[in-house]
Amino acid sequence: QVHLEESGGGWVQPGGSLRLSCTTNTTFFNIVTMGWYRQAPLKQRELVASITWGETIKYSDSVKGRFIISEDRAKPAVYLQMNSLESDDTAVYFCYIEESGLNRYYDYWGQGTQVTVSS
């Protein structure tokens, strides 16, 4: 089975920073996308940032300029540096990896790590 392990979540004051990490011992051969989603209470899960084919980077408009995504496709691992955190960033953050299979794509998710931004 595929297991993605997230770490780095916690509590921080507004304006502070956190760095999330996602690692796995699973060997992937055809990674398409690595990234991060988040889900706040009573809200839908939303894309935060992603890297596709190690080249194309996408950010949610709400985090652009504040968050930085990076990856190590060889490990593999994906990271999210979160700066200038705001109360609205409070959510459970989920790592995900998308892999290309024979005739379809496969999505794998971490268990989530809580990020709480408050004074």
Side-chain angles (χ1 to χ4, degrees):
Q1 63 177 9
V2 175
H3 176 72
L4 307 182
E5 182 72 24
E6 300 120 327
S7 63
W11 172 85
V12 66
Q13 295 185 14
S17 298
L18 288 173
R19 186 173 188 263
L20 304 183
S21 298
C22 176
T23 59
T24 179
N25 290 326
T26 302
T27 299
F28 292 89
F29 297 98
N30 299 291
I31 292 176
V32 177
T33 298
M34 302 184 71
W36 294 89
Y37 282 71
R38 69 184 181 187
Q39 187 168 18
L42 303 180
K43 294 185 177 180
Q44 294 286 99
R45 185 174 297 186
E46 64 173 350
L47 174 69
V48 178
S50 65
I51 302 177
T52 298
W53 297 118
E55 298 178 348
T56 302
I57 299 178
K58 295 182 178 180
Y59 291 103
S60 167
D61 288 341
S62 64
V63 307
K64 187 173 297 183
R66 299 188 296 119
F67 291 9
I68 302 172
I69 189 171
S70 60
E71 68 172 11
D72 184 337
R73 302 185 85 245
K75 289 189 177 181
V78 62
Y79 311 96
L80 186 67
Q81 178 66 45
M82 304 184 293
N83 301 315
S84 301
L85 283 161
E86 306 168 353
S87 296
D88 287 346
D89 295 318
T90 296
V92 178
Y93 285 71
F94 299 90
C95 169
Y96 90 99
I97 295 177
E98 183 180 58
E99 182 181 35
S100 177
L102 182 60
N103 296 305
R104 58 163 289 184
Y105 289 92
Y106 299 87
D107 292 338
Y108 305 101
W109 298 87
Q111 294 300 306
T113 183
Q114 177 70 46
V115 171
T116 301
V117 185
S118 68
S119 58

